[in-house]
Amino acid sequence: VPVIRDNCFFACFKLASVTIPASVTEIGEYAFGWCDSLKDIYYGGSETQWLGVSIRSENEGISKAKIHYNSTAEDRETNPFSDVASDAWYAASVSWAVEREITAGTTATTFSPNTTCTNAQILTFMWRAAGSPEPATASPFTNLSGSEYYAKAAVWAYEEGMVSGTSFDSDKVCTRAMTMEYFWKQTGSPTTDVSVKFADVNASSSYAQAVAWAVENGL
């Protein structure tokens, strides 16, 4: 579709959102005139491409709407969360996680992107991403009954050398450093030159090598 012609959506008072492919180079006069409810435009191209689209006069519906760049109808279908904007830097990752049943969100319609994760949640995400493998050993954790949603993930993490001991701290806040250590240990704790130039990562810290490995591998 190269052109959205004159009056195409004129006076569609209840039109709330529309997906426009990157192939569109021209939007005709009054194409979105009187579209008072239009709040979101999902555009398949970049912001630079959008700025190159010829938009004729009397399209006040467009001027009031939020433009979501590099977004498609498929993206919207795989992202059911009202609190994850399609142009958020993490939107594609969330859709990927939903498709693979790594997460179902905090509710059916919210992901809560700014909520802090617990130890149990992070390890459960990682376990599901690994295919939810059945543990091959008995649980070493005396404080788990086995009925917890994270019970198998905890034992799997133990088998992978990511956690140790006989008590699993499920509610402990999982920091970024801890998460990088988990990924690093999952891959066998490979020796990595600690050359990360982060002012807040001391070369002698327990997670320095994990962080350097994560940067080296694009995490």
Side-chain angles (χ1 to χ4, degrees), residues 126-212:
M126 293 181 69
W127 174 65
R128 290 173 180 167
S132 303
E134 286 290 326
T137 60
S139 173
F141 304 118
T142 57
N143 64 329
L144 299 186
S145 68
S147 61
E148 298 86 355
Y149 77 86
Y150 52 83
K152 289 184 179 181
V155 179
W156 168 79
Y158 179 86
E159 291 176 338
E160 294 288 314
M162 297 154 70
V163 296
S164 59
T166 58
S167 180
F168 183 70
D169 196 348
S170 59
D171 294 327
K172 181 179 180 180
V173 172
C174 194
T175 64
R176 286 163 59 87
M178 287 170 61
T179 305
M180 293 307 103
E181 279 195 276
Y182 286 152
F183 278 119
W184 177 64
K185 289 177 179 177
Q186 186 189 7
T187 59
S189 303
T191 300
T192 307
D193 180 34
V194 181
S195 57
V196 178
K197 298 179 180 179
F198 295 137
D200 55 355
V201 177
N202 192 301
S204 62
S205 66
S206 62
Y207 52 83
Q209 199 163 98
V211 171

Side-chain angles (χ1 to χ4, degrees), residues 81 83-84 89-90 94 103 105-107 109-122 125 149 171-176 179:
F81 305 125
D83 56 357
V84 177
W89 61 268
Y90 50 82
V94 172
T103 182
T106 50
T107 71
T109 58
T110 58
F111 180 71
S112 303
N114 297 314
T115 299
T116 301
C117 286
T118 64
N119 210 25
Q121 290 171 326
I122 289 294
F125 292 150
Y149 77 86
D171 294 327
K172 181 179 180 180
V173 172
C174 194
T175 64
R176 286 163 59 87
T179 305

Side-chain angles (χ1 to χ4, degrees), residues 25-36:
T25 58
E26 181 182 338
I27 297 176
E29 211 168 352
Y30 283 101
F32 291 96
W34 292 17
C35 290
D36 299 333

Side-chain angles (χ1 to χ4, degrees), residues 5 19 37 64 79 104 115 146 152 191:
R5 299 201 178 279
T19 298
S37 299
K64 296 176 182 177
N79 174 19
T115 299
K152 289 184 179 181
T191 300

